[in-house]
Amino acid sequence: MAEADQIIQQLRDLATPEYDAYDTEVIHIRASALISRSKALNRSANLATRTRKDATAIARQEMDQSYLGLQNLLYEKRHLEREIEKCRQFASVYQDVPLYPLEEFQRLAPEEARTSTVMENEHQLMLNRLSFELAERQRLDQKRKEMLNLKEELLKEGKLNSTKLDNVKTQIDMLVKTAFEIQKKVEDLVQPLPAADAMPTN
């Protein structure tokens, strides 16, 4: 910038009266040289300006991209915070599941489900307690089904025995009835024996 000011000042000086004594051709050559230098400086300044503008545009674009990325991250952060809060407030089914008390779990659960590492990890401990509860319920449900099957078998056997008993009772009743009828017929066919005092004597 200082060089451009010097060139302009020198051109102004060429137009002052003190250069009237100089040959016009010399002044013209000097002025042409100064103008050429001024144009070169102008081209350099324009090139530098374009370079700076391009660099500024690139920097602005990078800054815009960074800002957009930051906004996206902030949005994602807020979204995750909302999801975390929802998870914290979510009333899960497992919270209503009656579990074995911790002491019972420690006494009954397999060794690998109640190691010291597990007992120190609240999340893993809850997972293991739920798994143990599920296994126990499945075992008890299987036992319940077996007991129900046994009950059904006993009921069937009892019903069969009851049917047999009813059949036997019916047969006995029929036998008693038949015997009674036979006895009656026999009594009708056989004359009663005379009394002892009515029997003839020799």
Side-chain angles (χ1 to χ4, degrees):
M1 189 67 181
E3 185 178 359
D5 291 340
Q6 290 177 0
I7 291 173
I8 292 172
Q9 186 59 46
Q10 289 176 11
L11 285 171
R12 286 176 179 170
D13 291 342
L14 290 177
T16 58
E18 63 182 270
Y19 281 91
D20 289 345
Y22 286 87
D23 185 11
T24 306
E25 188 68 24
V26 173
I27 294 174
H28 185 268
I29 292 172
R30 176 64 178 163
S32 296
L34 290 172
I35 290 172
S36 296
R37 181 59 184 159
S38 175
K39 287 181 178 180
L41 288 175
N42 186 50
R43 284 193 298 271
S44 297
N46 288 336
L47 179 61
T49 301
R50 280 197 301 272
T51 303
R52 290 299 175 91
K53 282 184 178 180
D54 292 342
T56 302
I58 292 172
R60 182 180 290 113
Q61 185 178 10
E62 291 176 353
M63 187 174 67
D64 290 343
Q65 289 293 332
S66 298
Y67 180 75
L68 182 61
L70 176 62
Q71 292 301 313
N72 289 338
L73 287 175
L74 290 174
Y75 174 80
E76 186 68 20
K77 177 187 173 187
R78 287 192 296 270
H79 173 70
L80 291 175
E81 287 174 346
R82 286 194 298 269
E83 291 300 315
I84 290 171
E85 188 60 28
K86 285 181 183 177
C87 290
R88 286 176 176 167
Q89 295 179 358
F90 177 70
S92 177
V93 175
Y94 86 87
Q95 294 172 328
D96 299 326
V97 174
L99 299 175
Y100 274 95
L102 186 58
E103 296 77 13
E104 290 289 309
F105 171 77
Q106 289 177 304
R107 186 171 62 85
L108 299 174
E111 179 64 30
E112 62 273 11
R114 51 186 172 87
T115 61
S116 58
T117 305
V118 170
M119 299 304 292
E120 293 171 1
N121 187 330
E122 184 178 347
H123 177 68
Q124 189 60 49
L125 175 60
M126 179 55 71
L127 291 178
N128 287 9
R129 289 182 69 187
L130 288 170
S131 296
F132 176 70
E133 188 71 30
L134 176 62
E136 281 294 288
R137 291 188 181 208
Q138 289 174 339
R139 181 182 67 81
L140 292 174
D141 185 61
Q142 182 62 33
K143 189 172 182 180
R144 180 186 65 84
K145 289 177 180 177
E146 292 173 358
M147 297 297 289
L148 285 175
N149 289 336
L150 179 60
K151 177 184 175 183
E152 289 295 325
E153 291 296 326
L154 291 174
L155 286 174
K156 287 179 183 178
E157 185 177 344
K159 188 175 181 180
L160 181 61
N161 290 336
S162 177
T163 302
K164 288 180 179 179
L165 184 61
D166 289 342
N167 289 338
V168 170
K169 184 179 178 182
T170 301
Q171 290 176 7
I172 291 173
D173 290 342
M174 289 177 64
L175 286 173
V176 169
K177 183 178 179 182
T178 303
F180 180 75
E181 290 175 353
I182 291 173
Q183 181 181 358
K184 187 176 180 182
K185 288 180 180 180
V186 169
E187 288 176 353
D188 290 342
L189 292 174
V190 176
Q191 293 295 326
L193 293 174
D197 54 356
M199 292 181 65
T201 58
N202 293 326

